[in-house]
Every structure is written in C-alpha cells, then in structure tokens.
Amino acid sequence: MIFQDIKAQIKHIQSSDPASRSALEILLLYPSIHAVALYRLSHFLHIHHARFLARMISQFARFLTGIEIHPGATIGKGLFIDHGMGTVIGETAVIGDYVKLFHQVTLGGVNFTHGKRHPTVESNVEIGAGAKVLGNITIGQNAKIGANAVVLKDVPANATAVGIPARIVVPHKNEVLDCECAENCIHRKNQPLK
C-alpha cells in the first residue's frame, strides 16, 4: 500500500508541479512524500490500537517535515502537500484521491465533541495556501479553495470558495452565490465581481 501510494504521489506531483525535475528528486526531497509515508505507518498502528506508537510516529513526521497528520485521519491515494510547512490534518478528516494542499492549510475542527468533527475533502480538490477548512463539512469533488479562505460551510463539486468567511464562486461565471452582504452588495447573483 505505501509503495503504491508513493508511486501515485510521484505521478500527481509530476503532473501538477512544474518545479519537479525527476521521480528521484521528488522521492528524496519532497516533504509531502515523507509525511504521507509516515502517516500510512501511523494510521496502520492507529487502526490496530497501538495509538501511543502511532502518535509518536506522527509527531516525528511533524518534526521532520512540518506537516502534522493525525493517525486517525483517512487519506486516499496521491495526496500532494506542496511545500507543506504548517499543514495540519485533524483526526476525523477524510481526504479523497489526488487532492492538492498548499502550505499552512488546516483541516480542523470547531469543537471538542467526540465523533466526526473535521472536514471531508473529496477527490481532485485543490486547497490554497493558508486556507482553513473547519468543522464537519464537505468539500465536493474538483472544488477549489482560495488562499487564506476560511471555509465553514459545504462547498459543492466543481465550485470555488474564496474569502473570510468563504463564499462560493461559480467557475467561469465570476459570480458569488451566497453573500451575506447588504441588499445592494456587488456580490449578488448575476452581477460580475469588481
């Protein structure tokens, strides 16, 4: 499983990062590869009830890469965390296949209750640098989250969310659908952004 995932990550990185030069460079020098490989080991231990050892490995990965992935998170194949430093993925987060996260992304919770409290990020999602995706929400397939956005509500598939708090922008139409501004706001449906 780990080796198949590393292969999927390398392919994903090669297809989406123009700075990558070779598979060997990616394998040796990209912190995303190391963080996810160590996550796979810690996740295996976590689901087999060796949770202290699992957390030790995840903390070692955090020290080594600057990427914190809780061993309880569920991550699909081909995850690419570009640059990675400061990225946090919470315990009940679920990430689909071929997701791309930039540095300082947080997939976090908004409360301390037991149960699902972190986001679900479906396949082929891209989340910009510094974005905070918080709570038990769903980011739909092929969605994009803008840099530094704070996402507190579901984002539908193929949509883009930007801002604080994040608003949904329809791709290629440059419209905002769920603005909470006053009645004459420029973000109202069918009016282009200025």
Side-chain angles (χ1 to χ4, degrees), residues 53-177:
L53 185 55
R55 285 303 298 267
M56 273 184 50
I57 291 169
S58 73
Q59 290 303 301
F60 173 71
R62 178 182 177 217
F63 171 77
L64 184 68
T65 66
I67 299 168
E68 182 175 343
I69 305 174
H70 193 286
T74 303
I75 298 176
K77 65 183 175 188
L79 174 64
F80 175 29
I81 306 171
D82 197 6
H83 300 289
M85 186 61 72
T87 297
V88 177
I89 299 172
E91 178 182 17
T92 61
V94 177
I95 300 175
D97 297 335
Y98 301 105
V99 169
K100 184 176 185 181
L101 307 177
F102 286 88
H103 60 283
Q104 296 182 336
V105 165
T106 299
L107 302 181
V110 292
N111 60 51
F112 296 104
T113 61
H114 292 286
K116 181 85 166 84
R117 62 188 186 280
H118 297 98
T120 296
V121 178
E122 295 181 351
S123 296
N124 301 308
V125 169
E126 186 173 308
I127 302 180
K132 309 302 176 214
V133 183
L134 304 174
N136 183 14
I137 60 175
T138 300
I139 309 302
Q141 192 167 355
N142 302 311
K144 293 182 188 292
I145 307 298
N148 294 314
V150 177
V151 185
L152 302 171
K153 297 179 182 177
D154 290 350
V155 175
N158 304 305
T160 301
V162 297
I164 303 172
R167 299 176 310 275
I168 307 303
V169 179
V170 178
H172 308 298
K173 292 184 181 177
N174 210 21
E175 299 171 350
V176 176
L177 293 180

Side-chain angles (χ1 to χ4, degrees), residues 4-22:
Q4 291 173 338
D5 187 55
I6 288 172
K7 188 175 179 181
Q9 285 181 76
I10 289 171
K11 282 184 146 186
H12 187 204
I13 292 167
Q14 286 176 321
S15 69
S16 62
D17 184 5
S20 67
R21 304 277 184 265
S22 69

